[in-house]
């Protein structure tokens, strides 16, 4: 199983990614988590990544490729992956598609989780109040939602044109979202799904 979870901050990509990875027995690769882990190792690269993340800006594509591609290639060789947050820009999507085609491990579906910005803002502020991430402040949340619309939004028509987009309403309970994703994937009759 090779899936991408596409969705604005707060749509529940992390929660659903973990569940789908367990369900299909593949690795959940969360771009933000891998980049945060790299940032914690310190050094110049780590400091740069931490600065982008703290501002809610996207980390430059080349850094993202260096951190993410080895994990994706390794997972692909071991049964597949649930990608969460990568690709997140059109250049990342086209580079990822070229690599996937070359290694014969192309994406089978892109699951687009959508919900109103007002709902997402409440969720992220709630996460912040429970000791969440340092980028869960009102200003940085607004910036991340804007960047999602501008930069990641174009991936929705991109994957629709390729016939692999599955749109799921994320403004429901986590269980209902998981059930919708599984129902829609089963209609695609993917291997192992
Ligand atoms: P969220 O979806 O809530 O923004 P993530 O953990 O996916 O949370 O991402 C957190 C931050 O990590 C982003 O704001 C950005 O700085 C960085 N990041 C994650 N994925 C990417 C990516 N594919 N390209 C560039 N930056 C990324």
């Amino acid at each position: 199983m090779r899936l991408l979870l596409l969705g604005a901050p707060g749509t529940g990509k992390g929660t659903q990614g973990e569940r789908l990875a367990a369900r299909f027995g593949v690795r959940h690769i969360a771009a933000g988590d891998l980049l945060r882990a790299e940032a914690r190792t310190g050094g110049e690269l780590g400091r740069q990544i931490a600065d982008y993340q703290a501002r809610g800006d996207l980390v430059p594509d080349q850094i993202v490729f260096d951190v993410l591609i080895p994990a994706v290639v390794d997972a692909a060789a071991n049964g597949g992956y649930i990608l969460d947050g990568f690709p997140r820009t059109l250049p990342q999507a086209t580079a990822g598609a070229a690599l996937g085609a070359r290694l014969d491990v192309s994406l089978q579906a892109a699951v687009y989780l959508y919900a109103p910005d007002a709902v997402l803002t409440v969720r992220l502020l709630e996460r912040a109040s429970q000791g969440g991430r340092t980028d869960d402040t009102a200003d940085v949340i607004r910036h991340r939602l804007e960047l999602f619309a501008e930069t990641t939004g174009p991936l929705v028509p991109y994957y629709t044109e390729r016939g692999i987009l599955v749109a799921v309403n994320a403004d429901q309970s986590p269980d209902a979202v998981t059930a919708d994703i599984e129902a829609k994937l089963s209609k695609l009759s993917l291997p192992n799904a």
Side-chain angles (χ1 to χ4, degrees):
M1 170 59 75
R2 295 184 302 276
L3 283 188
L4 163 65
L5 290 173
L6 194 61
T11 47
K13 300 183 297 293
T15 304
Q16 299 300 329
E18 277 169 30
R19 291 178 178 203
L20 293 169
R23 159 87 170 73
F24 295 113
V26 296
R27 183 164 169 206
H28 171 218
I29 299 179
D33 289 349
L34 290 185
L35 290 166
R36 272 186 291 277
E38 185 67 31
R40 277 194 300 272
T41 64
E44 180 49 31
L45 179 65
R47 246 190 319 278
Q48 280 182 31
I49 294 174
D51 285 348
Y52 286 110
Q53 289 194 312
R55 290 193 301 266
D57 282 330
L58 292 184
V59 175
D61 287 342
Q62 192 55 53
I63 298 178
V64 173
F65 293 142
D66 290 348
V67 173
L68 267 296
I69 285 177
V72 178
V73 169
D74 185 61
N78 288 287
Y81 48 68
I82 309 293
L83 295 182
D84 158 0
F86 171 77
R88 208 178 180 109
T89 64
L90 271 179
Q92 289 179 14
T94 50
L99 181 75
R102 185 147 48 81
L103 301 178
D104 201 20
V105 291
S106 297
L107 277 180
Q108 295 170 298
V111 176
Y112 172 44
L113 299 174
Y114 61 89
D117 277 5
V119 169
L120 301 176
T121 304
V122 169
R123 284 187 190 171
L124 292 167
L125 289 174
E126 172 73 15
R127 179 167 81 186
S129 73
Q130 292 165 358
R133 291 176 1 200
T134 50
D135 57 348
D136 285 342
T137 62
D139 284 352
V140 178
I141 289 168
R142 194 175 320 111
H143 182 53
R144 282 157 58 211
L145 289 171
E146 282 167 6
L147 259 189
F148 175 82
E150 281 165 24
T151 315
T152 314
L155 296 190
V156 173
Y158 175 88
Y159 290 117
T160 303
E161 280 159 22
R162 279 152 188 78
I164 61 167
L165 193 91
V166 174
V168 172
N169 177 12
D171 188 10
Q172 317 182 66
S173 71
D175 286 351
V177 175
T178 308
D180 271 9
I181 295 174
E182 293 197 1
K184 288 187 171 159
L185 289 178
S186 70
K187 289 203 192 114
L188 298 180
S189 41
L190 302 174
N192 313 320

